[in-house]
Amino acid sequence: MKNLYKKLLNVQKEIKAVAKSENNPFFKSKYFDINGLLESLKPVLNKEGLVVLQPLTNVDGKLALETLVIDEESGDQIKSVTLLPENPDPQKMGSAITYFRRYSLQSFFLLQAEDD
């Protein structure tokens, strides 16, 4: 695990603030979407040999998002699991999954947004 932690530290040292490129008209604010976040994060993860997976999973019969960070060299991994809100509307559920993917990655890698 020591090697994985070193690689995570390297990611935190190298990653810059993520640009807020999207507009939220409801709150009259800007935010970064999942694509902008991945655009900033993936090159640094690739350089460090870290793989990120975000499969849907099940926790006690409830839908959840699992975020795994795996060191491709050693196979060591760390993960977090977030329960998702129940929603029978597939489109709203898709939005919720994307929202939680973004915030899970932001939290996992201590990413900050670029100030307006």
Side-chain angles (χ1 to χ4, degrees), residues 40-101:
S40 296
L41 189 57
K42 280 174 65 175
V44 182
L45 292 172
N46 291 342
K47 178 179 169 187
E48 291 298 324
L50 296 175
V51 177
V52 174
L53 302 174
Q54 290 190 298
L56 295 177
T57 189
N58 188 306
V59 176
D60 298 327
K62 296 184 179 186
L63 189 62
L65 174 73
E66 185 173 46
T67 299
L68 295 141
V69 178
I70 305 161
D71 180 355
E72 61 85 23
E73 195 176 330
S74 68
D76 289 340
Q77 62 181 315
I78 52 177
K79 72 176 180 177
S80 74
V81 178
T82 304
L83 289 176
L84 296 172
E86 292 183 32
N87 195 325
D89 181 321
Q91 199 165 23
K92 289 180 182 174
M93 192 62 191
S95 294
I97 291 167
T98 301
Y99 179 88
F100 281 98
R101 282 184 64 214

Side-chain angles (χ1 to χ4, degrees), residues 11-46:
V11 170
Q12 289 178 1
K13 286 178 179 178
E14 188 170 334
I15 196 79
K16 305 292 184 234
V18 181
K20 295 179 184 178
S21 60
E22 302 300 314
N23 290 310
N24 182 334
F26 184 75
F27 290 108
K28 296 184 173 103
S29 63
K30 294 188 89 158
Y31 69 97
F32 57 82
D33 69 351
I34 188 77
N35 295 322
L37 185 147
L38 292 173
E39 188 176 307
S40 296
L41 189 57
K42 280 174 65 175
V44 182
L45 292 172
N46 291 342

